[in-house]
Amino acid sequence: MKRYFIIFSTAVLSLTACADFLTEDNPNTLNSDTYFTDETSLEIFTNGFLRSFVTDSYTLQNGDANSDTFTWKAQAGYYRANYSPDEAGGWSSGNWARLREINWYLDNMRKAAAGEEILNHYEGVGRFFRAWFYFEKVKLFGAVPWYGTSIAENDQEALFKDRDSREFVAQKILEDLNYACTYCLETSEFRSRATKISRYAALGLKARFCLFEGTMRKYHQNDPSTGKPWTKDESEMYLKECISACEDIMQNGGFSLTDNPAERQTQYRAFFTAADMCGTYANELLLARDYNAELSVYLSTNVNSQYNGYALNRDFVNTYLMLDGTPFTDREDYNSIEFVEECKDRDYRLAQTIRTPGFKRDNGSTSWPPDLIYSNTGYQVIKYLTDNSSMDLNTSPNDLDSPVIRYSEILLSYAEAKAELGEMTEEVWNRTIKPLRERAGVTSIYPTEADPYMVEYFQNRVTDPFILEVRRERGIELVMENLRYYDIIRWRQGELFTRQWLGIYVPELEVPMDLDGDGTPDNVVTENTSVEGGLKYITVGANSEAGNILSEGDHGNLVPATKIERSWADYKYVRPIPTSALRENPNLTQNPEWDKVR
């Protein structure tokens, strides 16, 4: 299997149109008449899709870096005002080659000698991955050309056609997912460890896709790929399809949240650092990526987000509730509270997502306060960080599993779709938001009015208390799980990407701070370029190469500098078709307004 996958994957040509790699003969001269012989051959082939598509740990953990919740020292050039189609990607042969593999497989897989149930299952697996492929393309570009079968090399009309409408492609994605949700099997063979495609994995992807498409249609009056109104209103249809998929999972899947009241201060992070997540937490996983030390299957790069310059933004940290269920921002002085006080009596997930006072590693022998050298806001992430500091080195083997679709997301998708349709009830709340908050130590309070902070956070465009509370919960529960950027896209809140970053409150410049609360100073904000006494530090003002400042000059919130001036425009809700692709295929049309950017 590994040999086949590697040969198949390296047969990619450096092209930008999709003609050659949609028709190219199989690079291993694989003959479908002799290869697809039985169920085993189908399993081996589709295992290659698992490796190609299922989100790896690096992408999972770092995918939120360019969202509103994070600051990041590197930053994405996409936010520049002059970002143009000349710089765009996502349309190369390497991007489209996967579709050729899937369609070739679907065109030939029924030659295998297997029962109808098995053939239907493996067709469902192929269509699951085609839906995944096109879902990613739609999120990026909106309208794209749909190819539902292998393309003959002399079919010039198909090879060089323009894009099909986003609405058409979305319907084809839904068709593929509905097939997978009907025919993919749910027996223990396919559900064990959540590492194969089962009916519930298909339902999970369907819920994610339908929530995305339903809210896109609701909050974007115009199709971003045309700049014109949608041809028909399908928002409600997609949201109801999301609800249906979630209900099937919730009622029939046997999934549950792991919640031990005695371990609520540690159980959230324990999930993401479990040595065998796929085994220990099978009750919470619909799909996962399994890394295994015994089989020498490790991450290609050890991911250590705490040293990658990623840090949470204070505006987002403010959304974490108090343990009694009330908003932290009900305090009039919430933006001028020092770090140690700020962390007290908060949702337990806060202390399991960032370094807070009392955070220790190496069997509790070492205190690890925030490190301002790496964390430019002071909110330094630890969500996937094990207690063993020797694993921090990039040379250390890392076999921690990656959750791709988990039960918490299903509960949140169900709650959001219900809220968006005006169908949130106390019963729905108690099945979804309440258990998520309670296992984080937070008293559940059924909302009767909108939290003013959340209204302002989402630019005064949403005042429904249920929608706002679901968004609060989704942001906190799923932080650093590669979902937030496209949440902001579908909610049409792109301006959030450009909000000023803020960090911890600093009462006085040059005065050392005790950020772990142990009585010994550990960090300082300074205008000097050298600091004595082993303190961690960040420079501000004239001597700050990065351009960091304090909001009030000699005190206030840290304001981290940005390497680029971030800007947003509505045309950025879809990416541009790369200039190189337009040259290769003159029939391709550009997304609105991108042709004016130089």
Side-chain angles (χ1 to χ4, degrees), residues 256-274:
S256 62
L257 297 177
T258 302
D259 183 17
N260 182 345
E263 298 177 353
R264 285 176 171 171
Q265 296 187 52
T266 59
Q267 63 189 4
Y268 178 76
R269 180 165 161 256
F271 174 89
F272 296 99
T273 58

Side-chain angles (χ1 to χ4, degrees), residues 168-192:
F168 173 79
V169 175
Q171 283 293 328
K172 301 302 287 186
I173 292 172
L174 185 57
E175 287 177 18
D176 275 351
L177 287 172
N178 280 336
Y179 186 97
C181 292
T182 301
Y183 292 106
C184 283
L185 297 174
E186 56 185 88
T187 57
S188 59
E189 176 186 358
F190 297 102
R191 291 189 61 183
S192 176

